[in-house]
Amino acid sequence: MKKVCTLVLALVLVLALSAGALAADSHLHRILESGKIRVAMIPENPGWSVMDADGNWVGYDVEIAKMLAEALGVELELIPTEGGNRVTMIQTDKCDVVIASFTPTLERAKVITFSRPYGAAGTLPLCRKNNVFTSWEELADKKIACARGSTNDVLATNTFPNAEILRYDSIADAFVAVKTGKADVLFEDDSQVYALCESNDDCMPMDVPLKNPAYACFGVEQGDTIWLDYVNRFIDNYMYSGTFKDMWRANFGREMADLLNY
């Protein structure tokens, strides 16, 4: 009996030490210890996040990142990244979290972990007013611009095998391709398309149903359940209070999608 008690106590001690080691290695612990949180974000993402020539950031994701840093009581470091590099930023520990209209695809979920949703979007094509299309079917053999490695890239590639897919490292470059006639349409999420059309009166969103409506989530390192639990509590608190919905309305000029009423 004494040996059994000794073994049980040893096991409890090992588990306690393991839990302490995991807590110390969590991004949450490292953030609190360093006094800084590193947030990766896309700098040309209208409505979500935009960085101007002076390095000033605005947008829904930016406001949320600031609130997260304030909740933690730490300094915020915003790190510009491209859409196709978001997963790599997490895997290589270049950031603590990605907040960048990040769609939680099953493929991405194999290598990183996603938070609860805090936004939603679907793909909507943008075209020039002097080159209008009225259906998805018309795009079957057209030149489609998109951000490399994005869900819009995957949609274009899989849905339109006979189209010419023009992939760019940034959303801004993909949009310029349409503006200058190098591409017929831009595939981007609906929030960005509406924002781009507001400031470019020679362009318009196509009047078609959204493709691939999906949630947007934070991206964090796989296995860091302590940090994941914190960001989920953060999102829950502000979703339930209505704060995120008010911020969405202010940044996008419309109500949050019904699928976010959770």
Side-chain angles (χ1 to χ4, degrees):
M1 186 68 177
K2 186 176 180 181
K3 288 183 178 179
V4 172
C5 291
T6 302
L7 287 172
V8 170
L9 287 171
L11 180 59
V12 169
L13 179 60
V14 168
L15 291 174
L17 290 172
S18 297
L22 287 172
D25 194 46
S26 170
H27 281 268
L28 178 58
H29 177 81
R30 284 186 259 164
I31 290 164
L32 295 174
E33 281 288 303
S34 66
K36 180 173 69 175
I37 180 172
R38 303 165 300 158
V39 179
M41 193 168 290
I42 300 173
E44 309 102 0
N45 207 358
W48 297 89
S49 54
V50 174
M51 182 176 68
D52 64 22
D54 297 322
N56 300 311
W57 291 80
V58 296
Y60 181 64
D61 283 342
V62 180
E63 293 175 16
I64 287 176
K66 289 178 178 178
M67 290 170 62
L68 179 58
E70 184 178 354
L72 289 161
V74 298
E75 175 190 348
L76 172 63
E77 180 185 0
L78 292 176
I79 305 172
T81 188
E82 296 165 357
N85 291 338
R86 288 173 293 182
V87 169
T88 304
M89 292 290 288
I90 295 169
Q91 291 178 311
T92 57
D93 195 27
K94 297 287 176 57
C95 67
D96 298 300
V97 59
V98 170
I99 305 178
S101 60
F102 211 177
T103 305
T105 66
L106 295 179
E107 193 63 29
R108 290 168 177 165
K110 292 177 182 177
V111 292
I112 64 170
T113 296
F114 288 99
S115 70
R116 296 201 201 287
Y118 74 102
T123 299
L124 184 65
L126 173 152
C127 61
R128 298 185 306 280
K129 287 183 178 178
N130 63 359
N131 188 36
V132 175
F133 305 99
T134 58
S135 70
W136 284 102
E137 291 71 24
E138 288 180 79
L139 307 181
D141 59 352
K142 298 300 185 287
K143 294 180 179 179
I144 301 171
C146 59
R148 191 188 316 277
S150 66
T151 52
N152 302 299
D153 183 354
V154 175
L155 172 67
T157 302
N158 293 341
T159 308
F160 302 107
N162 296 320
E164 183 179 350
I165 313 301
L166 306 177
R167 299 174 178 87
Y168 296 88
D169 289 332
S170 72
I171 299 165
D173 289 342
F175 175 60
V176 169
V178 177
K179 285 269 289 182
T180 57
K182 292 179 181 177
D184 295 304
V185 294
L186 168 70
F187 275 21
E188 254 309 324
D189 77 56
D190 56 314
S191 299
Q192 295 183 55
V193 166
Y194 287 123
L196 288 167
C197 290
E198 266 188 35
S199 54
N200 295 269
D201 58 12
D202 56 338
C203 295
M204 60 178 284
M206 282 178 55
D207 187 15
V208 293
L210 294 182
K211 290 278 190 185
N212 292 350
Y215 289 124
C217 303
F218 294 8
V220 297
E221 183 182 10
Q222 202 170 65
D224 191 347
T225 56
I226 294 171
W227 179 223
L228 176 64
D229 183 66
Y230 184 89
V231 298
N232 279 337
R233 298 292 76 73
F234 170 80
I235 291 169
D236 283 348
N237 287 343
Y238 286 106
M239 284 295 293
Y240 293 155
S241 71
T243 303
F244 281 2
K245 294 177 184 179
D246 292 340
M247 290 163 53
W248 182 276
R249 191 183 305 111
N251 283 283
F252 296 111
R254 60 185 186 280
E255 297 300 318
M256 213 175 232
D258 287 342
L259 75 166
L260 280 160
N261 292 324
Y262 69 89

